[in-house]
């Protein structure tokens, strides 16, 4: 399977307008185009999805099972408190890498906690948009049955 899903959570549709000092001046469309181009260059298929709604994100994760070799997920602020998204990640075998554009550890204390990271295959923070490409590279490298720590990649 050669398809990967990019999921961006709440307020990431505001990239470019939202706190440019933290997130930069590029838009969500710029981010998605950058990722799609990377997909073309590396010969993988990419689907991008964004929602401000917790249930939509949960459904996207659930429905990815059997459809994608991996998910790159930026859950936005849900990272810090959504047990429902955590449970969705834990309920699928498709590996999920959590990405944050900003360095959450240099920011407010509530952002230092991720309830989703313990069930993700890995986490990348603070590397801007490059984090999404790096997450895809890690997923591609692991594709074909190798294991992330504690989570078998069956796709
Ligand atoms: C974020 C960090 C979160 O704390 C924040 O709520 C976001 C974006 C990031 O990509 O840096 O919405 O996930």
């Amino acid at each position: 399977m050669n398809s990967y899903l990019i999921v961006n959570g709440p307020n990431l549709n505001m990239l470019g307008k939202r706190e440019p000092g933290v997130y930069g001046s590029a838009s969500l469309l710029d981010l998605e185009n950058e990722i799609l181009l990377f997909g073309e260059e590396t010969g993988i298929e990419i689907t991008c999805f964004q929602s401000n709604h917790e249930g939509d994100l949960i459904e996207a994760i659930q429905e990815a099972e059997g459809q994608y070799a991996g998910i790159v997920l930026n859950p936005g602020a849900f990272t810090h408190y959504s047990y429902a998204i955590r449970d969705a990640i834990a309920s699928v075998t498709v590996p999920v890498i959590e990405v944050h554009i900003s360095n959450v550890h240099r920011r407010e204390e509530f952002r230092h906690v991720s309830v989703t990271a313990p069930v993700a295959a890995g986490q990348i923070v603070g590397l801007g948009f490059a984090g999404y490409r790096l997450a895809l590279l890690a997923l591609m490298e692991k594709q074909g049955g190798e294991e992330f720590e504690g989570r078998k990649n069956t796709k």
Side-chain angles (χ1 to χ4, degrees):
M1 198 185 295
N2 209 17
S3 303
Y4 296 84
L5 179 65
I6 311 294
V7 178
N8 278 301
N11 299 306
L12 290 159
N13 58 316
M14 297 296 286
L15 283 174
K17 297 178 199 135
R18 165 192 194 201
E19 300 180 82
V22 176
Y23 298 109
S25 56
S27 67
L28 177 64
L29 193 64
D30 294 333
L31 168 63
E32 291 181 342
N33 283 336
E34 201 178 292
I35 297 168
L36 291 172
L37 185 65
F38 179 75
E40 274 170 35
E41 286 166 0
T42 48
I44 56 171
E45 238 175 72
I46 307 264
T47 303
C48 295
F49 176 73
Q50 188 275 331
S51 175
N52 293 322
H53 304 282
E54 190 175 23
D56 290 346
L57 299 171
I58 290 166
E59 280 168 13
I61 294 164
Q62 290 175 357
E63 286 162 16
E65 185 75 338
Q67 303 299 314
Y68 295 97
I71 303 175
V72 178
L73 171 67
N74 184 343
F78 284 135
T79 305
H80 313 302
Y81 66 93
S82 175
Y83 298 120
I85 291 179
R86 175 193 171 117
D87 283 351
I89 298 168
S91 74
V92 294
T93 62
V94 48
V96 176
I97 297 191
E98 180 175 313
V99 169
H100 299 288
I101 296 166
S102 66
N103 182 352
V104 285
H105 300 293
R106 212 161 50 191
R107 302 180 64 196
E108 302 94 322
E109 215 166 304
F110 75 88
R111 296 186 204 275
H112 301 177
V113 173
S114 170
V115 300
T116 45
V119 292
Q123 189 196 42
I124 296 173
V125 306
L127 303 181
F129 288 3
Y132 292 81
R133 294 195 298 276
L134 294 169
L136 282 167
L137 282 174
L139 288 167
M140 285 159 65
E141 197 166 304
K142 292 292 180 188
Q143 220 240 329
E146 279 185 66
E147 262 180 59
F148 283 102
E149 191 190 346
R151 285 181 70 82
K152 180 99 181 127
N153 177 8
T154 55
K155 299 289 154 353

